[in-house]
Amino acid sequence: YGKKKGKKMFVIFNEELRLKEEKRIKLTEILKKSLENGDFYLVYQPIASLKTGKVVSVEALLRMKNDELGEVPPSEFIPILEETGLIREVGYWVLSEVCKQINVWSERGIKDISVSVNVDIQQLLDKNFVQNVESILNDSGVNPEKIKIEITESEAMKFPDIVIDVLSRLTDFGIEIAIDDFGTGYSSLSYLKLMPLSYIKIDRAFIKNIPTDKDDNILVLSIVNLAKSLGLKTIAEGVEERVQLLFLKEIGCDYIQGYYFSRPVLPDEIEEIIKTGKTVQA
Ligand code: C2E
Ligand code: MG
Ligand code: MG
Ligand code: MG
């Protein structure tokens, strides 16, 4: 009996895997045509100052909605874009779209908002990357000071020498750099010092259990102090609760991003948030 049952479970397991794999293949095929089909769009999440309570910038986050599949979560389609290398082309689309949006906001009276754009390491390693970024910005007339580029710590530390060179050329052009998901990527401190960074984004995993988890409290405090000693600003990711905000304010973290203040939203809602002057309330 035991044997039989084991066999059956094995079959079910295989069937599940097969269906999952089929779905993946289907999604991959669809993603190859998503740019021309107009399946991609962007949402924006506000980043607010803990000093003034005001929104200082927004992060652009990629979304995908397809006629056949409906809304596909980023956790499903972004890894496929990365594995297939499609993220390079899509990444340039994201930057162009952000520039267009900055111009639209500007026409509507929102002039001093800056936008963070996530860049994948594959895009950054493209030898024309800096040139392409400069072209997109020049063509749209967007001031480079309005764009921030985010690269994850773990990806940046894979090829630190090249990354330092590319990021330096971007900062020469006027773009600021943030290191994303900080704390999860085993930074070499000597490389960290050499990177032309302006911001450290503390990964959500460390923010999640403050202030109850004493170890996480110490880790977050250490990251904030490390950033300060390097002359960098800190942004806490994934702030969902008031107690987290109070702790972060207390230890001198500069900015927060998270559901507590706002989820990622469509451009019109960003306009609303800015125009009504919504502030972070502790
Ligand atoms: P990320 O750059 O670290 O972005 C922050 C993620 O945390 C976003 O997930 C955001 O929706 C989520 N988030 C924000 N506040 C909260 C909160 O309070 N609680 C929780 N639980 N989550 C929160 P999202 O949009 O699903 O994006 C996931 C990741 O996908 C991003 O992480 C980024 O690495 C990547 N990604 C998104 N858009 C792009 C893009 O245009 N290009 C590239 N290369 N990667 C992108
Ligand atoms: Mg990011
Ligand atoms: Mg990535
Ligand atoms: Mg992050």
Side-chain angles (χ1 to χ4, degrees):
Y1 178 72
K3 226 179 188 176
K4 227 179 179 176
K5 194 178 173 191
K7 220 176 203 171
K8 196 172 171 191
M9 281 179 70
F10 191 62
V11 172
I12 294 168
F13 185 58
N14 267 336
E15 178 67 9
E16 256 176 39
L17 271 184
R18 198 182 58 79
L19 280 174
K20 224 177 146 191
E21 186 53 26
E22 248 170 38
K23 212 179 145 198
R24 241 186 97 80
I25 292 167
K26 174 92 196 154
L27 180 55
T28 308
E29 285 317 302
I30 287 177
L31 282 169
K32 284 179 188 159
K33 294 185 225 109
S34 277
L35 266 184
E36 53 179 293
N37 285 342
D39 292 342
F40 293 120
Y41 66 99
L42 295 177
V43 288
Y44 297 86
Q45 188 177 33
I47 298 170
S49 164
L50 280 176
K51 240 180 235 120
T52 64
K54 286 186 187 151
V55 176
V56 290
S57 60
V58 293
E59 179 176 9
L61 294 160
L62 186 61
R63 295 291 180 265
M64 186 226 173
K65 191 179 178 181
N66 175 267
D67 288 340
E68 199 177 331
L69 303 177
E71 188 84 40
V72 181
S75 56
E76 279 177 32
F77 75 81
I78 287 177
I80 300 180
L81 292 180
E82 291 177 349
E83 283 158 34
T84 54
L86 285 166
I87 193 69
R88 268 170 286 185
E89 214 187 325
V90 176
Y92 290 125
W93 177 86
V94 170
L95 185 61
S96 313
E97 198 63 18
V98 162
C99 289
K100 276 189 212 160
Q101 188 60 58
I102 288 175
N103 286 332
V104 170
W105 277 328
S106 173
E107 279 164 23
R108 292 167 163 272
I110 297 167
K111 307 231 178 248
D112 45 7
I113 190 110
S114 68
V115 183
S116 279
V117 178
N118 291 286
V119 165
D120 186 73
I121 186 71
Q122 293 181 65
Q123 217 188 328
L124 206 131
L125 294 177
D126 173 0
K127 65 174 178 7
N128 296 319
F129 179 65
V130 177
Q131 200 185 314
N132 291 344
V133 168
E134 292 186 7
S135 303
I136 292 171
L137 266 74
N138 289 336
D139 290 351
S140 63
V142 165
N143 182 346
E145 285 168 15
K146 288 196 171 171
I147 301 288
K148 296 176 176 36
I149 279 183
E150 296 191 3
I151 175 92
T152 63
E153 180 194 22
S154 55
E155 290 187 341
M157 290 300 159
K158 275 185 205 156
F159 306 95
D161 296 307
I162 306 175
V163 168
I164 288 165
D165 173 62
V166 173
L167 295 183
S168 303
R169 286 189 282 142
L170 290 173
T171 54
D172 286 347
F173 184 60
I175 292 177
E176 285 188 318
I177 312 293
I179 194 138
D180 205 352
D181 302 347
F182 190 84
T184 59
Y186 310 101
S187 264
S188 145
L189 290 183
S190 51
Y191 275 125
L192 197 65
K193 223 176 87 185
L194 290 173
M195 293 210 176
L197 307 174
S198 299
Y199 303 91
I200 284 183
K201 298 191 76 170
I202 308 168
D203 195 81
R204 189 168 76 225
F206 303 105
I207 304 301
K208 212 175 158 206
N209 299 317
I210 55 170
T212 33
D213 187 316
K214 302 282 175 277
D215 293 335
D216 284 347
N217 291 352
I218 291 170
L219 274 170
V220 173
L221 175 64
S222 307
I223 296 173
V224 167
N225 287 337
L226 171 73
K228 279 205 183 111
S229 68
L230 293 170
L232 311 178
K233 302 276 187 204
T234 42
I235 304 169
E237 298 190 280
V239 177
E240 294 183 358
E241 288 160 39
R242 181 168 177 267
V243 283
Q244 296 170 328
L245 184 148
L246 291 173
F247 177 84
L248 290 161
K249 199 169 175 168
E250 170 104 18
I251 64 165
C253 176
D254 298 292
Y255 307 101
I256 57 153
Q257 178 178 358
Y259 297 167
Y260 181 78
F261 183 67
S262 169
R263 287 186 173 255
V265 293
L266 291 168
D268 284 355
E269 208 168 322
I270 291 293
E271 193 178 331
E272 177 87 12
I273 289 171
I274 306 272
K275 285 196 170 157
T276 57
K278 184 183 171 190
T279 52
V280 190
Q281 304 291 340

